[in-house]
Amino acid sequence: MERNMGGWAIAVHGGAGVDPNLPQQRQEEAKQVLSRCLNLGIDALRSNLSAVDVVELVVRELETDPVFNSGRGSALTAKGTVEMESSIMDGSGRRCGAVSGLTTVKNPVSLARLVMERSPHSYLAFAGAEDFARQQGVEVVDNEYFITEENVGMLKLAKEANTIMFDYRIPAAGGLETCSAVVESPILMNGLPISVYAPETVGCVVVDSQGRCAAATSTGGLMNKMSGRIGDSPLIGAGTYACNICGVSCTGEGEAIIRGTLAREVAAVMEYKGLGLQEAVDFVIKERLDEGKAGLIAVSNKGEVAWGFNTTGMFRGCATEDGFMEIGIWD
Ligand code: ASP
């Protein structure tokens, strides 16, 4: 899918990897959040906010809503704690900031932006990042704030299946088919297997009406991840990238995205092979990504918006200045 209308363009994602049997109610709930956040971004673009301001604003909103896997609602580590990570990149001047291992910062994407703008570095993690947050006076809360009942149940399921989860998978009657181990009796919540509540990473890419591109990604990482694990989302070039040509945000299995340096590859094939935005997205997914692992959203400086994934689905929304708007999950 590609639109090329000039002017501004925006795309958001709420994670890749969706069970085809995801209940309608859950699909609608996710779409409503995406639509609300997309509209927030559209209003900001109409008010002439810059691309980097808009991606921060939209990702903050997604972090605050517990439906997706970032900020409140973050996936849990094997210890049952939350370790969040985020990155932001402003394509104008290729400035970037990233954070990992956050346990108390309410909006990780805003701390990533402060790393970009107020520190001499581009990436801070764990205790040092938390110290920087306090120094900068950003809002902090107890780790419990981020932990939802659904995710506690989901972690239990992941532990029983002895797996690390990155997507929505509903355990079938006989077990959790898609995991390496089988769950004999799925844990139910409101009559539904608990994995239908599994959360997903968020991201936003924007080109503003002046052709400036920006990208931001935020996540709690993978459910049941080892404490200390760092995924693709805070890694510039892997989960997030922006330059004067395009902005890209990825989602899916971080280890596969890191191996493929997915976000940067999209920009590289546009730059060095002269591919268009959608061609570049399709090429990178086909050539650089293991099957069934991830997806991404992208915008170009020409006002194009594109997305692609090789998982069963990807929660996403996009809009362009001419009035086009789409919210979707499936292909
Ligand atoms: N890419 C994220 C990670 O591996 C997970 C996701 O996109 O859902 O941490």
Side-chain angles (χ1 to χ4, degrees), residues 13 84-89 95-101 108 112 115 122-126 201-202 215-219 221 228-242 247-266 296:
H13 72 71
M84 298 166 287
E85 42 195 14
S86 179
S87 62
I88 190 165
M89 188 156 187
R95 301 180 311 143
C96 60
V99 286
S100 279
V115 170
S122 46
Y123 191 178
L124 293 175
F126 295 91
T201 291
V202 305
T217 313
S218 186
T219 189
R229 179 257 187 191
I230 290 173
D232 62 295
S233 307
L235 299 183
I236 297 299
T240 305
Y241 190 72
V248 183
S249 172
C250 303
T251 172
E253 191 187 290
E255 286 69 11
I257 297 169
I258 292 168
R259 281 197 297 278
T261 51
L262 229 53
R264 169 60 198 158
E265 285 290 294
V266 172
L296 59 89

Side-chain angles (χ1 to χ4, degrees), residues 52-136:
V52 72
D53 283 340
V54 178
V55 294
E56 182 189 359
L57 181 80
V58 170
V59 170
R60 274 181 73 93
E61 189 65 21
L62 287 159
E63 286 174 342
T64 306
D65 194 296
V67 163
F68 293 109
N69 171 13
S70 63
R72 181 145 193 272
S74 278
L76 306 176
T77 67
K79 291 179 179 166
T81 54
V82 160
E83 291 177 6
M84 298 166 287
E85 42 195 14
S86 179
S87 62
I88 190 165
M89 188 156 187
D90 183 354
S92 326
R94 282 186 286 123
R95 301 180 311 143
C96 60
V99 286
S100 279
L102 299 183
T103 52
T104 68
V105 175
K106 194 166 174 229
N107 290 107
V109 69
S110 293
L111 191 65
R113 179 146 185 202
L114 289 170
V115 170
M116 172 170 91
E117 289 181 346
R118 297 202 199 150
S119 89
H121 306 299
S122 46
Y123 191 178
L124 293 175
F126 295 91
E130 287 281 333
D131 288 349
F132 180 67
R134 276 154 189 78
Q135 209 184 77
Q136 294 296 318

